[in-house]
Amino acid sequence: MTLRPYQMTDAVIITSWLKSEYLMRQWCADRYEHYPVTPEDMNSYHERYIDGQRSRALTMTDVDEVVGYITLRTPADDTTEQRLGFVIVDDSKRGIGLGKALVSMAVKYAFETLGATKVSLGVFENNPSAIHCYEAAGFHRVSRQDTESYPCLGETWNCIEMEQYADAIIRDIKSDEIPS
């Protein structure tokens, strides 16, 4: 598996994985106005929002086959944080670890190439397979003062905030470490 910069021709394949509006909204929330998302829509979005500096789009390939897609962006002026988004893998290949591989490769890229010390993401609470994938890739849930929510398909979808730090080890506290 390799991670390379997104190419406009990838859009035909990636948009074909969005089999329903429900799945599309789990993928992008309200970033695309309508379903289905066309390759032209995706490329137009890239032209407007992916600048290659503060935001990057990456495609995961298996030899020459496109099997995943993800974005990284700097959420504020602090370049020590990168935020994952638009995470998706080929729907015909789900359940074999591609999602975990994609996320892990993007996190490694953020830490080693971009110099981030923290990688964060938001995931809808109604997307248990994505939550499991992120946890398997080393992400942990964090509490926020306010829950980010989006109106989707006549409902309100709440986000779970997750993050991972470079060189952080999270473990259970030992009984002898608890103050008396």
Side-chain angles (χ1 to χ4, degrees):
M1 300 291 166
T2 58
L3 206 54
R4 62 155 170 79
Y6 169 84
Q7 298 169 1
M8 293 181 79
T9 55
D10 298 339
V12 172
I13 297 162
I14 296 163
T15 57
S16 76
W17 301 335
L18 302 168
K19 304 287 192 218
S20 71
E21 185 172 5
Y22 186 86
L23 292 173
M24 186 267 290
R25 293 289 168 212
Q26 284 186 319
W27 175 65
C28 73
D30 60 358
R31 300 304 187 260
Y32 289 93
E33 293 180 17
H34 59 84
Y35 176 82
V37 175
T38 67
E40 295 77 20
D41 294 333
M42 188 170 187
N43 286 326
S44 175
Y45 183 91
H46 277 256
E47 288 174 7
R48 282 183 299 193
Y49 300 109
I50 306 295
D51 65 10
Q53 299 299 312
R54 296 185 51 78
S55 55
R56 293 164 176 80
L58 303 168
T59 300
M60 185 171 71
T61 59
D62 184 1
V63 187
D64 289 328
E65 181 184 11
V66 172
V67 295
Y69 170 84
I70 195 165
T71 62
L72 283 165
R73 67 177 173 85
T74 306
D77 289 332
D78 180 4
T79 58
T80 63
E81 180 178 353
Q82 289 292 308
R83 190 154 179 90
L84 298 183
F86 295 92
V87 180
I88 192 168
V89 296
D90 182 338
D91 61 314
S92 71
K93 294 176 172 48
R94 287 195 180 147
I96 60 170
L98 285 180
K100 179 182 175 185
L102 173 62
V103 170
S104 297
M105 291 168 73
V107 167
K108 181 178 180 181
Y109 178 80
F111 290 150
E112 294 180 5
T113 304
L114 302 178
T117 57
K118 173 183 169 183
V119 177
S120 62
L121 62 86
V123 59
F124 287 124
E125 61 189 9
N126 66 353
N127 195 346
S129 60
I131 295 166
H132 175 75
C133 171
Y134 301 139
E135 289 173 338
F139 281 84
H140 299 277
R141 297 175 194 217
V142 294
S143 297
R144 289 180 72 156
Q145 284 275 38
D146 53 334
T147 301
E148 190 175 346
S149 300
Y150 292 85
C152 289
L153 304 175
E155 302 173 342
T156 298
W157 291 5
N158 296 322
C159 282
I160 296 170
E161 185 69 16
M162 302 183 88
E163 55 191 35
Q164 184 176 145
Y165 288 88
D167 301 323
I169 299 172
I170 298 177
R171 61 173 176 79
D172 291 332
I173 192 167
K174 296 177 184 172
S175 61
D176 64 339
E177 295 173 324
I178 302 171
S180 304

